[in-house]
Amino acid sequence: MSRQRTHDGSGQKSFFDSEHHNEQKSFNYEERDGRLDIPEKDVLREPEVQYNYHRQGEYTLEDYYALPDDQRVELIDGVFYVMEAPTVTHQYGLSDVWLQLYNYIDAQNGTCQVFHAPLDVQLDCDDRTMVEPDILVVCDWNKIFNRCIYGAPDLVMEVLSPSTSRKDQTIKVRKYQNAGVREYWTIDIKKERVVVYDFANDRAPSIYGIDQPVPVQIFDGKCRISFDRIYEKVRRLQEAEQRRADRGQL
């Protein structure tokens, strides 16, 4: 769909749909402090819905930085993807795995750094992609800048959620591999499954259940992530929600 920009003299930027000559639709977005106030209904949701500013595939970091601070998105090859607010279960997985990685690196006096979302990663070192992995490990300090990680992390982990699972298991697999990420995990708490992509050694993906510790390949398998505590918290949360449901509180 082609959109053209006009100015209506009101301080707003107007866009209209010129795909059909006899049926033009106008879109007005206010510009505040250099940022476009884009309505929620016009923001991309997976798998793909169009913004009304540029064509999908044409967005750049300039557009990314122009969005409101509370608008969480990822930019992948010029396409915006909205990131939903994480659930408590998602946060259990993220925080516990991050802590295990941190404790291992600290115990080994390692120089690698482990981070968690929200943190921008300018994956391809260009202006068309900016991702926000759930967990990442960076061993090259030259890639660590105050505003973002510039380049491919050594290890990336994504805790799957309904709004991101398709992207994390398809688009991001290719992106991370092509960018030079050495290892990539998708952690599916609901299905109790972890898929490990060992890109550095060009191995087929390995699938683990949550009943066994999962080895971290960038650390030669010496670091193993356990999911016991995560599932104990998830179980307690589910029991509490069931009790609330039984009392009619949900």
Side-chain angles (χ1 to χ4, degrees):
M1 180 180 292
S2 173
R3 300 202 186 280
Q4 299 178 7
R5 184 174 66 186
T6 63
H7 294 275
D8 61 6
S10 65
Q12 295 183 328
K13 292 185 177 179
S14 178
F15 303 82
F16 66 87
D17 177 357
S18 62
E19 184 177 21
H20 303 290
H21 296 294
N22 298 324
E23 186 180 359
Q24 293 185 351
K25 298 179 181 179
S26 179
F27 304 88
N28 292 311
Y29 300 148
E30 289 199 27
E31 188 172 13
R32 301 172 181 172
D33 300 325
R35 297 175 181 272
L36 286 179
D37 188 15
I38 302 176
E40 178 68 13
K41 65 183 179 60
D42 289 336
V43 176
L44 173 73
R45 294 195 175 278
E46 196 168 329
E48 196 167 320
V49 177
Q50 289 193 332
Y51 269 73
N52 295 300
Y53 186 26
H54 295 313
R55 289 177 183 269
Q56 284 290 11
E58 295 180 354
Y59 287 97
T60 67
L61 291 187
E62 182 179 0
D63 303 304
Y64 178 83
Y65 287 124
L67 291 172
D69 290 339
D70 61 353
Q71 182 69 71
R72 291 190 63 207
V73 302
E74 289 187 306
L75 177 65
I76 301 176
D77 294 330
V79 176
F80 275 130
Y81 293 87
V82 161
M83 301 178 69
E84 302 283 358
T87 63
V88 170
T89 298
H90 181 281
Q91 293 301 84
Y92 280 156
L94 186 155
S95 60
D96 199 283
V97 173
W98 177 88
L99 183 61
Q100 291 183 64
L101 285 167
Y102 177 88
N103 287 340
Y104 174 82
I105 294 171
D106 184 62
Q108 301 298 315
N109 294 316
T111 59
C112 295
Q113 299 290 296
V114 57
F115 303 95
H116 60 73
L119 178 64
D120 285 344
V121 176
Q122 197 168 343
L123 188 66
D124 296 328
C125 302
D126 63 10
D127 69 343
R128 301 184 68 245
T129 295
M130 186 74 87
V131 294
E132 191 176 286
D134 286 324
I135 300 171
L136 56 148
V137 174
V138 181
C139 298
D140 182 354
W141 280 59
N142 290 321
K143 295 181 179 180
I144 302 174
F145 291 76
N146 190 48
R147 66 177 179 84
C148 73
I149 303 301
Y150 189 76
D154 294 86
L155 170 64
V156 171
M157 297 180 175
E158 299 284 9
V159 181
L160 301 184
S161 61
S163 66
T164 65
S165 61
R166 179 179 174 183
K167 175 183 61 178
D168 291 342
Q169 295 178 97
T170 56
I171 296 171
K172 280 192 171 181
V173 174
R174 297 190 298 271
K175 285 300 297 181
Y176 288 143
Q177 182 177 26
N178 292 336
V181 171
R182 295 166 56 195
E183 183 175 356
Y184 175 46
W185 290 26
T186 58
I187 302 170
D188 193 330
I189 295 176
K190 183 176 182 180
K191 294 183 178 179
E192 302 185 1
R193 180 177 66 188
V194 178
V195 180
V196 176
Y197 298 85
D198 186 2
F199 296 139
N201 296 302
D202 198 26
R203 294 173 180 164
S206 298
I207 301 176
Y208 298 86
I210 54 86
D211 57 339
Q212 55 185 314
V214 181
V216 180
Q217 300 304 320
I218 67 166
F219 298 134
D220 299 321
K222 297 176 182 178
C223 173
R224 291 178 173 266
I225 302 300
S226 171
F227 291 87
D228 292 345
R229 289 180 298 181
I230 297 171
Y231 277 93
E232 174 61 21
K233 294 176 183 176
V234 171
R235 183 188 61 79
R236 293 177 64 182
L237 174 64
Q238 291 172 340
E239 290 175 350
E241 290 194 331
Q242 185 59 53
R243 288 194 297 271
R244 286 192 288 267
D246 293 342
R247 294 194 296 264
Q249 294 179 329
L250 288 180

